[in-house]
Amino acid sequence: MVARVIPVDPFDLVVFGGTGDLAKRKILPGLYIRFLAGQMPEEARIIGAARSDLDDAGYRAIVAAAIDEFVPQAKRDAAVIERFLARIHYVAIDAVGEGGWKALAAHMRPGVVRAFYFSVAPSLFGDLAERLHAHKIADADSRIVVEKPFGRDLASARALNAVLAAHFDEKQIYRIDHYLGKETVQNLMAVRFANILFEPLWNAQYVDHVQITVAETVGVGGRGSYYDKSGAMRDMVQNHMMQLLCLIAMEPPYQFDPDAVRDEKLKVIRALEPVGPEDIVRGQYRARPADDGKAEPSYLEDVDNASSRTESYIALKVRVANWRWQGTPFYLRTGKKLRARTSEIAIVFKEAPHSIFGENESWKANVLAIRLQPNEGMNLSVMIKEPGPGGMRLTDVPLDMSFADALGEEGMDIPDAYERLIMDVIRGNQTLFMRGDEVEAAWAWTDPIIEGWDARGDRPKGYDPGSSGPEDALMLLHRDGRRWREIRG
Ligand code: NAD
């Protein structure tokens, strides 16, 4: 099955921060791959805009090096790269001064889609928005794309929304959450709303609980000083995991339309109950001793802050207070230096109400597991009769759907989240972007949780690298008579 490619309209995309890490690792390689796929038209142009003093040739060399480093060899075609680079330009610009803005204005072409990617620190968003407006570079149809973090609490998120809203309508603002660009995440909506099988069971009557796990094997690495001001709650839960929870918990939108979908997600966020200390476990990874292979520093050493109370792991029990989910908890956990790298959503159904087979030790509830990484796919565990003459013994088997197996190599040639999201910006489709009120509602739920542990002076619990997190996190489920699924890569 080959993915269909529909070219987008011609565009001028200005990448502010075009020499930065994100532009080099994700945005520019992603655009090249869309060009290779035939989705980015020949008339499209990309204009890098950053502080460095470069000309077009100098910037093209940077883009070529980024393609070399971050695009898989099989997709690097010298002739295509040459044609792609011819579409690249550069304007040196100062976001907080006047330098470069007249040159940028002169660069823009009439009659094509204009998009502006703010791949710079959020403190510059207001300056960029204001100057795009003052120099009449942006028009009523232009789009701006903004990166995470979108605030660090409700007040800062509101302030960011306000500086953008001063010059752009909500319809023009694309807040990136790259989790929403993942193929499986969109498949969640297809599975729920294009099949009759699941939706009737998708409620507290049949779902015992939901587990959402985002586990990483890496530590904070070179991002220590940034991460220590953020932590797992702000970095992963408030945005990415909240979005996953919304897609699982939301009511069917009346149509697959950006605002219809986002209205339903917003209702879920607003229905989230406050989370008390008894339903939160936070952790910090310990050092890996030398006798356990290669010695590795602890979280506190990684962030160079011996008194840090920031969490590199968090587990929470979350309740959605509405009719559909009354009594069905959502358990969320995410952390660094865990046993395996995996992202998974598991819908754990209730057990059958009565067993006609008597007591059976191997009896297990059905689980629909949706894997985001690695090996995207879905797996539904069902009980069957154990093969053989041993009588009516039961066992559970997975109905496994690996997308790679089901769709074949070519079917799996699916765009990376950034590729898809940038093309959606050009197409003017906001479905997979967070709306301002969603972000604010998510912070309104998050703030009291963080303020709570700050006020209590709670310290995260230690956990060993390569483990499943702090021991206390096991208790979060044990005391409810449940258990976490194994973290497996
Ligand atoms: P970076 O520090 O590598 O690059 C910053 C860019 O901004 C550079 O191109 C620099 O020239 C430009 N810049 C800085 N000050 C400027 C000014 N006054 N005028 C014009 N240009 C200026 O940063 P990054 O890692 O690429 O991150 C960019 C944005 O993306 C940030 O908001 C970050 O939070 C977000 N983000 C980054 C990543 C990542 O993996 N790097 C992931 C998610 C989100």
Side-chain angles (χ1 to χ4, degrees):
M1 208 188 296
V2 183
R4 267 185 306 153
V5 174
I6 302 165
V8 296
D9 289 337
F11 61 84
D12 278 349
L13 170 66
V14 178
V15 183
F16 292 111
T19 57
D21 175 65
L22 184 72
K24 287 195 278 203
R25 273 189 319 111
K26 290 288 180 186
I27 304 171
L28 295 161
L31 284 160
Y32 161 73
I33 293 175
R34 290 296 90 208
F35 184 69
L36 176 74
Q39 196 168 18
M40 181 177 142
E42 295 282 347
E43 306 86 352
R45 286 190 327 176
I46 298 155
I47 301 150
R51 260 187 317 200
S52 318
D53 188 17
L54 293 165
D55 57 10
D56 284 357
Y59 188 56
R60 284 173 187 164
I62 290 176
V63 178
I67 292 173
D68 224 33
E69 189 171 353
F70 297 111
V71 173
Q73 165 115 49
K75 293 198 169 169
R76 294 201 302 259
D77 177 318
V80 180
I81 294 176
E82 193 76 8
R83 274 174 32 230
F84 177 72
L85 291 177
R87 282 150 194 98
I88 305 266
H89 301 270
Y90 184 82
V91 178
I93 207 131
D94 182 5
V96 293
E98 289 314 307
W101 289 94
K102 286 211 171 76
L104 183 61
H107 241 288
M108 307 303 293
R109 297 172 297 172
V112 299
V113 173
R114 287 184 189 179
F116 303 93
Y117 201 129
F118 291 9
S119 183
V120 295
S123 56
L124 297 177
F125 288 179
D127 296 295
L128 291 179
E130 200 179 303
R131 283 168 177 75
L132 282 173
H133 177 77
H135 291 271
K136 297 191 172 50
I137 299 172
D139 56 28
D141 188 45
S142 301
R143 292 120 215 215
I144 58 171
V145 186
V146 297
E147 267 297 336
K148 80 163 202 178
F150 202 85
R152 55 172 283 107
D153 52 22
L154 178 57
S156 52
R158 275 195 181 137
L160 274 182
N161 274 336
V163 295
L164 298 180
H167 301 296
F168 293 91
D169 188 79
E170 182 63 34
K171 290 256 173 288
Q172 300 177 276
I173 304 171
Y174 291 71
R175 295 176 194 78
I176 291 244
D177 184 325
H178 70 276
Y179 263 61
L180 286 180
K182 288 181 188 278
E183 186 75 6
T184 327
V185 171
Q186 292 167 75
N187 238 324
L188 253 174
M189 286 189 274
V191 166
R192 279 194 65 189
F193 303 128
N195 297 290
I196 199 161
L197 273 184
F198 297 109
E199 198 52 27
L201 303 180
W202 212 264
N203 54 56
Q205 196 180 347
Y206 295 103
V207 177
D208 180 73
H209 71 281
V210 176
Q211 296 186 18
I212 305 179
T213 300
V214 177
E216 296 176 276
T217 49
V218 293
V220 296
R223 290 171 73 219
S225 59
Y226 164 78
Y227 190 90
D228 202 38
K229 294 192 207 76
S230 160
M233 184 72 180
R234 288 192 171 96
D235 199 47
M236 291 299 301
V237 177
Q238 183 274 342
N239 41 33
H240 307 318
M241 296 180 84
M242 173 77 76
Q243 290 293 327
L244 299 181
L245 185 153
C246 284
L247 295 176
I248 300 286
M250 72 181 186
E251 296 299 316
Y254 73 97
Q255 63 180 21
F256 192 59
D257 157 273
D259 278 329
V261 172
R262 297 186 300 176
D263 286 345
E264 295 306 334
K265 290 197 298 175
L266 180 62
K267 285 187 211 162
V268 174
I269 304 175
R270 290 191 172 149
L272 296 180
E273 286 188 7
V275 183
E278 67 285 0
D279 289 333
I280 303 170
V281 176
R282 295 193 306 138
Q284 279 176 347
Y285 55 82
R286 300 193 185 103
R288 191 191 292 276
D291 58 3
D292 190 21
K294 199 169 151 281
E296 287 171 26
S298 68
Y299 176 79
L300 296 177
E301 289 161 337
D302 264 347
V303 300
D304 198 14
N305 176 6
S307 59
S308 168
R309 290 183 178 168
T310 306
E311 73 285 355
S312 63
Y313 174 99
I314 188 166
L316 305 128
K317 177 178 176 180
V318 178
R319 294 180 187 82
V320 184
N322 62 19
W323 278 48
R324 184 187 283 263
W325 296 115
Q326 193 57 51
T328 296
F330 287 67
Y331 298 99
L332 274 46
R333 67 179 160 167
T334 180
K336 296 194 175 289
K337 290 233 182 172
L338 295 178
R339 175 173 298 155
R341 176 166 181 259
T342 179
S343 301
E344 183 199 73
I345 300 165
I347 318 292
V348 182
F349 291 94
K350 291 191 172 166
E351 290 186 2
H354 167 70
S355 165
I356 63 165
F357 306 111
E359 288 289 309
N360 194 304
E361 279 174 8
S362 51
W363 193 287
K364 292 206 184 92
N366 302 121
V367 178
L368 176 67
I370 300 143
R371 283 190 310 272
L372 274 62
Q373 67 186 21
N375 183 20
E376 289 191 69
M378 266 184 276
N379 177 318
L380 177 67
S381 73
V382 290
M383 297 304 294
I384 61 156
K385 178 190 164 299
E386 202 175 270
M392 201 57 185
R393 293 169 59 86
L394 303 179
T395 184
D396 67 310
V397 292
L399 286 181
D400 200 345
M401 192 173 104
S402 147
F403 294 161
D405 293 347
L407 303 174
E409 284 279 305
E410 282 174 331
M412 278 307 286
D413 194 12
I414 45 181
D416 166 80
Y418 274 91
E419 296 172 37
R420 175 194 317 271
L421 293 172
I422 298 171
M423 291 298 107
D424 277 358
V425 172
I426 306 300
R427 273 196 292 254
N429 186 339
Q430 290 185 302
T431 310
L432 301 176
F433 297 84
M434 295 180 295
R435 211 168 53 191
D437 50 4
E438 261 184 277
V439 179
E440 291 188 14
W443 281 120
W445 175 78
T446 309
D447 274 4
I449 299 176
I450 295 178
E451 284 160 10
W453 71 56
D454 279 348
R456 291 188 301 273
D458 290 353
R459 286 202 167 279
K461 309 276 192 279
Y463 63 95
D464 288 333
S467 71
S468 304
E471 292 284 319
D472 288 19
L474 300 180
M475 283 312 295
L476 201 60
L477 272 74
H478 274 190
R479 61 165 203 219
D480 295 345
R482 300 178 174 119
R483 56 196 299 181
W484 288 110
R485 287 164 58 81
E486 208 181 308
I487 296 181
R488 269 190 307 215

